[in-house]
Amino acid sequence: MKINKLYISLFLSAGIALQGCKDNNFLDVPSRERVEAEDSEVIYTPEQFINGVYGMFTSWDYSFSYIGITDMLSDNGDKGSAVTDAGGDKLSLDELTYTSTTGSFKSMWVRWYKSIGRATQAIEYTEKYGLTDEAYKNRLVAEARFLRALNYFYLVRGWGDVPIQDRDLIKRESASEVYSYIEADLQFAIDNLPVKSAYAAKDLGRATKGAAQGLLSKVYLYQNKWQQAADMAKTVINSGGYSLEKDYATIWRLAGENGPESLFEWQARGTSIALGVKQYSQVQAPRGGLVKLGWGFNTPSENLLNAFNAEHDNIRRDATIIFRNSTLYDGRVIDAGVENAMYNMKAYSSANGGADYTDKNVRYLRLGEIYLILAEAANELGNSSEALNALNAVRTRVKLANVTTTDQAQLRQLIWKERRLELAFEHDRWFDLIRTKQAKTAMAANGKTFQDKMLLFPIPEDQRIQTPEMPQNPGW
């Protein structure tokens, strides 16, 4: 049984909060999801409203559309599954032939804006509720603002200029303005959230000061704000609240959930096996053979396997990839009859056994990435010594030799490579390729043609039909 987890309130995730909604009004979330106390005999607490924001991460969208536009697009992941199963739009994502009508973009555009709307509603409700404990009220607001920032971070990285929902539902604000909005939310979160160790056991998994600091360091990284990124990353590293998991493979097992390296995870809920992120493990689990664990989508690419092997990085390779005809750490045999040669180990749930739901947490942000943020930022600032120390802390864990070069250009490439190997299948590879301007070269090396218009996702066509005055991204 899973205990001491953040239990997400179901009534907001799947019940009354969605009554009367019209799915085509993508951005007008507050008008569709507002739950006023007078609408029911039950008075919902601010904490229940906040729980409903966390609950958005457990949606089916994160099991299929999300992995499509983060991993399958990139050189790390292939569509996988059966050759005859296109997975809806997943084959077009894998082959980079997607368009503005590709459904996964619409699904995540809607999901992220609905989450933002719910967070804003929770903030307003909490502020007006009449809580007398100011610190508690601010903590709840800070949790919602952290979650709102996280969702906007996906939107701005994917689409660039996007509407800021509580200002205008159609006008696309500049990416720099969206980033400023994100930074303000995260700074409030930093100022008002407790550290991870200060939460009671029942609240394990809620947003923390360290999570907000870590996310802000990443937000700075994506804007090339090197000094701010380095400073915030060092704040997390030097806080004493986190440490690298000694065994890299443990991070994605039950023993690693909410572990010493974890800054923020999307929490599974209930007793094993129950709820959690709907079908996240099943969709990516080995398909066919004697095991029949899942659908087999989002499989590691040969390109990624070659990258691990070229670095002699066996530890991270074997913690990231399930191989056909192998025995897993829990004794489960993946026989020779499975459909694909490789599967995503980081999505594997030992207890799941092919069930629709899984109790597996999805790791969102961890200390290993914070070290790599510091390494990259320090290198760009000309501080090769600090960059090497941070980079080699990550490499030492997986028994790889220290990097020693102080040449900035060479070190930059090595840090980018390290990000790929360390963070494979943690849903950031596509955004990293765009950010570092490696996308065209990397995708060509993976046998795919990257077009300049792919620097940004297309605004979903259904959104454009609803709001034709909203401009489309270039080329789409």
Side-chain angles (χ1 to χ4, degrees):
M1 177 177 292
K2 294 173 72 76
I3 58 174
N4 294 343
K5 304 296 292 284
L6 171 60
Y7 286 74
I8 310 296
S9 299
L10 285 176
F11 70 88
L12 278 175
S13 296
I16 63 171
L18 300 180
Q19 289 178 359
C21 72
K22 296 180 179 179
D23 288 339
N24 63 334
N25 295 322
F26 302 146
L27 295 182
D28 197 10
V29 176
S31 67
R32 296 189 290 114
E33 297 206 331
R34 187 169 298 281
V35 183
E36 301 288 5
E38 61 265 26
D39 291 338
S40 170
E41 295 179 0
V42 179
I43 303 299
Y44 301 110
T45 68
E47 188 166 318
Q48 288 173 315
F49 267 66
I50 306 301
N51 288 351
V53 187
Y54 287 100
M56 298 296 277
F57 292 117
T58 66
S59 161
W60 156 251
D61 291 331
Y62 283 103
S63 294
F64 212 30
S65 295
Y66 176 67
I67 65 175
I69 70 170
T70 56
D71 283 336
M72 291 184 208
L73 278 179
S74 79
D75 55 348
N76 278 358
D78 292 330
K79 175 188 72 70
S81 193
V83 174
T84 55
D85 189 348
D89 60 10
K90 302 307 175 293
L91 181 60
S92 68
L93 293 172
D94 185 25
E95 295 181 343
L96 299 187
T97 58
Y98 57 86
T99 70
S100 62
T101 62
T102 298
S104 290
F105 294 114
K106 171 187 170 181
S107 294
M108 296 317 302
W109 172 271
V110 173
R111 174 60 44 184
W112 288 325
Y113 268 115
K114 286 175 67 176
S115 301
I116 287 165
R118 187 170 291 187
T120 299
Q121 178 192 334
I123 291 165
E124 294 171 352
Y125 189 82
T126 301
E127 289 176 337
K128 296 175 181 177
Y129 190 79
L131 293 174
T132 57
D133 185 335
E134 195 72 10
Y136 175 60
K137 181 189 77 173
N138 287 339
R139 191 207 89 190
L140 293 178
V141 171
E143 288 183 58
R145 291 186 69 169
F146 169 85
L147 296 170
R148 184 169 68 180
L150 190 159
N151 283 278
Y152 269 123
F153 188 42
Y154 276 121
L155 286 166
V156 73
R157 287 187 297 168
W159 283 275
D161 302 348
V162 293
I164 295 178
Q165 191 184 69
D166 61 350
R167 297 180 183 176
D168 194 289
L169 299 178
I170 299 174
K171 178 186 175 184
R172 294 180 64 181
E173 302 267 6
S174 68
S176 61
E177 185 61 30
V178 178
Y179 272 118
S180 294
Y181 190 94
I182 292 169
E183 290 173 10
D185 270 354
L186 290 176
Q187 189 57 60
F188 183 91
I190 290 167
D191 293 340
N192 291 280
L193 287 175
V195 297
K196 183 178 178 180
S197 60
Y199 272 117
K202 70 179 180 64
D203 290 317
L204 182 63
R206 293 189 180 276
T208 65
K209 181 185 294 290
Q213 290 168 331
L215 182 54
L216 185 54
S217 73
K218 189 169 180 175
V219 167
Y220 285 144
L221 181 80
Y222 270 78
Q223 300 175 82
N224 297 339
K225 293 184 175 180
W226 306 120
Q227 190 63 61
Q228 295 98 316
D231 290 345
M232 195 57 65
K234 283 189 286 188
T235 297
V236 175
I237 292 167
N238 296 332
S239 69
Y242 305 93
S243 60
L244 292 175
E245 186 76 56
K246 292 181 180 179
D247 176 15
Y248 181 83
T250 298
I251 298 171
W252 291 274
R253 299 175 185 175
L254 179 61
E257 290 191 345
N258 300 305
E261 184 162 342
S262 173
L263 273 69
F264 190 65
E265 301 180 12
W266 302 343
Q267 301 292 305
R269 303 174 290 177
T271 57
S272 181
I273 296 294
L275 299 179
V277 183
K278 184 180 179 182
Q279 295 176 271
Y280 181 82
S281 292
Q282 183 192 56
V283 164
Q284 300 178 77
R287 177 180 180 129
L290 298 176
V291 288
K292 295 181 174 64
L293 294 178
W295 301 3
F297 283 97
N298 197 30
T299 56
S301 67
E302 194 75 21
N303 186 289
L304 176 62
L305 174 62
N306 292 340
F308 278 121
N309 288 341
E311 193 68 12
H312 305 290
D313 190 355
N314 297 343
I315 291 176
R316 288 186 295 203
R317 179 197 65 196
D318 294 344
T320 303
I321 302 175
I322 295 173
F323 292 96
R324 176 191 282 148
N325 205 22
S326 65
T327 301
L328 305 187
Y329 66 90
D330 57 1
R332 179 171 275 135
V333 175
I334 307 302
D335 62 272
V338 294
E339 188 91 26
N340 309 99
M342 296 180 284
Y343 296 96
N344 178 8
M345 178 72 88
K346 290 182 179 179
Y348 174 70
S349 170
S350 179
N352 180 263
D356 286 353
Y357 288 91
T358 173
D359 61 350
K360 184 182 183 72
N361 286 2
V362 176
R363 282 58 164 171
Y364 175 75
L365 188 63
R366 57 186 180 83
L367 190 63
E369 182 172 8
I370 303 303
Y371 271 107
L372 292 177
I373 290 172
L374 175 56
E376 185 171 347
N379 183 56
E380 297 300 331
L381 292 167
N383 190 341
S384 59
S385 176
E386 187 168 58
L388 288 171
N389 287 338
L391 175 62
N392 288 328
V394 173
R395 291 178 61 82
T396 296
R397 168 169 59 181
V398 292
K399 298 179 172 54
L400 294 176
N402 283 349
V403 172
T404 59
T405 182
T406 58
D407 179 271
Q408 187 182 55
Q410 292 179 12
L411 187 52
R412 179 184 297 121
Q413 294 293 326
L414 292 171
I415 292 168
W416 288 348
K417 179 174 68 174
E418 201 71 26
R419 280 188 67 88
R420 183 186 191 187
L421 301 179
E422 175 74 17
L423 304 173
F425 288 100
E426 295 180 51
H427 309 295
D428 268 333
R429 176 62 176 171
W430 180 259
F431 299 124
D432 260 353
L433 289 175
I434 300 296
R435 174 180 68 85
T436 59
K437 298 180 173 59
Q438 298 177 91
K440 184 169 290 188
T441 301
M443 297 313 295
N446 197 38
K448 311 289 175 61
T449 299
F450 179 91
Q451 303 174 61
D452 288 344
K453 66 179 182 178
M454 294 173 180
L455 291 169
L456 295 171
F457 294 155
I459 300 292
E461 188 61 26
D462 283 358
Q463 176 67 69
R464 295 267 297 130
I465 291 171
Q466 179 190 329
T467 55
E469 60 270 49
M470 183 183 293
Q472 180 59 276
N473 276 327
W476 296 107

